Amino acid sequence: MAAKTVQLTPLALETRTALPTPEAAGHLNRAQQTLRIWACREDGPIRPIRINGRLAWPVSELRRVLGVA
């Protein structure tokens, strides 16, 4: 089974306020499971927003961590 590839919008051009886990992981160059572990342990560099049991990663925090203006 082939892995899904996610088309990433550059963070500088992103208009959404939060991204789903696969897109956030792609920007951070980390596995999706790493972000889920950060959310569970609450010890990562970014804290997600929980929306109906799903994780949403704030674009402003992604920009801060990656140093994107």
Side-chain angles (χ1 to χ4, degrees), residues 10-62:
L11 283 178
L13 302 176
E14 186 61 66
T15 58
R16 296 176 287 179
T17 58
L19 299 178
T21 300
E23 291 181 42
H27 282 293
L28 294 169
N29 197 27
R30 297 287 179 258
Q32 294 178 35
Q33 192 60 25
T34 300
L35 274 67
R36 292 185 188 105
I37 290 169
W38 290 349
C40 182
R41 294 181 182 169
E42 296 184 352
D43 67 351
I46 302 174
R47 291 246 174 116
I49 303 164
R50 288 180 168 81
I51 303 170
N52 292 330
R54 295 186 183 264
L55 299 174
W57 300 86
V59 172
S60 60
E61 289 297 303
L62 290 168

